[in-house]
Amino acid sequence: MKRVLVTGGAGFVGSHLCKKLLDGGDEVLCLDNYFTGSRANIAHLLANPRFEVVRHDITFPLYVEVDEIYNLACPASPVHYQHDPVQTTKTSVIGAINMLGLAKRLRARILQASTSEVYGDPEVHPQREDYRGMVNINGPRACYDEGKRCAETLFYDYQRQHGIDIRVVRIFNTYGPRMHPEDGRVVSNFIVQALRNEPITLYGNGSQTRSFCYVDDLVEGVVKFMNVPGTVAGAVNLGNPNEISVRQLAETIIDLTGSRSAIVYHPLPQDDPRQRCPDIERATTLLRWQPRVDLTDGLSRTIAYFDELLREADPQPVPLEARAVA
Ligand code: NAD
Ligand code: UDP
């Protein structure tokens, strides 16, 4: 049995990862400061005797004994990471130093949850791992993008200088149940707005593209990558290469929910990437991995989750089936 530390374990992706590791027989230590995560996300895991939780902020040193570390702690939604940009950079950079120091003391394998944001607003499409990116050092996204880039550099230097066994995954837009309803990311925003029959807030003209990966597919790839034997150089993209415009996403969600919502246009946020799509050749070759859940299926599962969540908060629930028929 492995003892595994998951930082950011009470967040959206982290809670799915903890579940997957427990299902695989590991002992899981879930660490979180609950900035964007919640105890509700991990409530279903608490009865498992192999699951333990600690409230901690990774910008402070941590002394625990584990065999493997998944470093996910960091707000991922632009709204949240821009709320306190200095803390976002500290979480990525000082948090990486602390977790790498822990891995060094324990000689433990450590995986970093990096991001497609390291490519910035890319001029190369789709994005391969060897593309160096186009990031604005002085924009509202810089705290996250540059923080994650610096964290990657630290991981590569700890590998070269200290022989640490590292893994770096660049995660592209991932969605699914347990995203926070007020998270601010596009999938949760649109689904919650559609279920409430409220205006769908489309930023810009909606022609910007993203490629959405269902969380189960992502977590499968992350765990596979952690378990690849030997040394791995560089990062691996994980995401779904099925690229659509944000406007198409809005229309799909309106269709799937049977919503009466209208689309309303808001200004495009500064430095919002115009297009994003992963080249996943490295992941398919190295991990024999590719996403299996198509967008309609994944969105339907996510809509069902939010529908139940909103019904719990709403004393006058409108069942999803009725809404779809109306
Ligand atoms: P999330 O906000 O739901 O989860 C992040 C978790 O980290 C939360 O539980 C939060 O409370 C915790 N956290 C934040 N700062 C912390 C700190 N200083 N110390 C301890 N805990 C802290 O986001 P997510 O979507 O689950 O993302 C998880 C990881 O994956 C992040 O590192 C993110 O950058 C990366 N990622 C996610 C996506 C995506 O589309 N979901 C895309 C690219 C990268
Ligand atoms: N977006 C939008 N309406 C929203 C939220 C986001 O049109 O209510 C757009 C946003 O401008 C971006 C895309 O959807 O072009 C994805 O945004 P998100 O915040 O989910 O993640 P990003 O990929 O930009 O980090």
Side-chain angles (χ1 to χ4, degrees), residues 7-14 31-38 41 56-59 71-77 80 87 91 113-117 144 148 170-175 178-180 183 185:
T7 79
F12 158 53
V13 175
L31 174 154
D32 211 291
N33 71 349
Y34 302 112
F35 173 47
T36 50
S38 69
N41 279 346
H56 182 80
D57 183 322
I58 61 161
T59 60
N71 187 35
L72 272 64
C74 186
S77 149
H80 288 135
Q87 175 65 14
T91 295
S114 191
T115 167
S116 52
E117 281 286 317
Y144 183 73
K148 289 283 189 179
R170 292 188 183 144
I171 302 172
F172 283 65
N173 293 65
T174 298
Y175 70 99
R178 294 206 284 280
M179 291 183 92
H180 196 285
D183 180 272
R185 279 179 279 188

Side-chain angles (χ1 to χ4, degrees), residues 57-319:
D57 183 322
I58 61 161
T59 60
F60 296 95
L62 176 76
Y63 295 90
V64 293
E65 308 302 314
V66 291
D67 305 306
E68 273 180 1
I69 303 165
Y70 289 84
N71 187 35
L72 272 64
C74 186
S77 149
V79 174
H80 288 135
Y81 70 64
Q82 290 170 24
H83 170 73
D84 185 349
V86 172
Q87 175 65 14
T88 299
T89 306
K90 279 187 183 175
T91 295
S92 282
V93 178
I94 301 175
I97 292 170
N98 286 331
M99 292 307 107
L100 284 161
L102 180 66
K104 183 172 164 227
R105 177 174 71 78
L106 300 171
R107 306 312 294 179
R109 182 174 286 180
I110 178 166
L111 179 143
Q112 167 69 354
S114 191
T115 167
S116 52
E117 281 286 317
V118 300
Y119 301 122
D121 189 5
E123 311 118 305
V124 170
H125 199 70
Q127 292 79 55
R128 281 169 49 99
E129 289 86 348
D130 55 8
Y131 174 53
R132 293 185 182 182
M134 195 183 67
V135 175
N136 179 0
I137 198 171
N138 188 17
R141 300 175 87 104
C143 58
Y144 183 73
D145 301 9
E146 300 289 15
K148 289 283 189 179
R149 286 170 67 96
C150 183
E152 280 203 27
T153 303
L154 284 162
F155 269 70
Y156 305 137
D157 282 337
Y158 267 75
Q159 182 181 45
R160 277 189 290 261
Q161 195 176 333
H162 298 301
I164 302 303
D165 188 0
I166 64 150
R167 301 284 186 269
V168 176
V169 280
R170 292 188 183 144
I171 302 172
F172 283 65
N173 293 65
T174 298
Y175 70 99
R178 294 206 284 280
M179 291 183 92
H180 196 285
E182 309 294 333
D183 180 272
R185 279 179 279 188
V186 67
V187 173
S188 44
N189 267 13
F190 285 1
I191 291 179
V192 169
Q193 290 161 348
L195 288 172
R196 289 179 172 152
N197 291 306
E198 290 171 357
I200 304 277
T201 54
L202 191 61
Y203 302 161
N205 63 12
S207 63
Q208 70 271 34
T209 68
R210 295 293 186 272
S211 309
F212 296 99
C213 185
Y214 190 66
V215 65
D216 288 357
D217 283 335
L218 187 267
V219 165
E220 190 199 341
V222 167
V223 174
K224 272 193 158 183
F225 188 33
M226 182 62 122
N227 292 326
V228 167
T231 306
V232 183
V236 170
N237 287 339
L238 287 181
N240 191 321
N242 177 20
E243 180 183 3
I244 66 163
S245 72
V246 174
R247 167 175 261 288
Q248 277 175 289
L249 177 75
E251 287 163 354
T252 306
I253 289 174
I254 290 172
D255 278 354
L256 289 172
T257 51
S259 174
R260 295 190 302 278
S261 295
I263 293 177
V264 294
Y265 293 86
H266 291 255
L268 192 66
Q270 187 191 331
D271 295 336
D272 200 280
R274 284 158 298 168
Q275 52 180 9
R276 180 183 288 158
C277 180
D279 180 320
I280 57 165
E281 195 191 331
R282 185 162 197 225
T284 46
T285 312
L286 185 70
L287 313 177
R288 299 191 192 292
W289 170 88
Q290 54 184 25
R292 286 178 294 197
V293 181
D294 73 26
L295 187 64
T296 310
D297 185 11
L299 285 177
S300 301
R301 295 188 212 178
T302 312
I303 289 166
Y305 165 79
F306 277 113
D307 191 52
E308 195 177 327
L309 196 76
L310 298 184
R311 260 193 271 175
E312 278 166 16
D314 181 359
Q316 297 284 309
V318 182

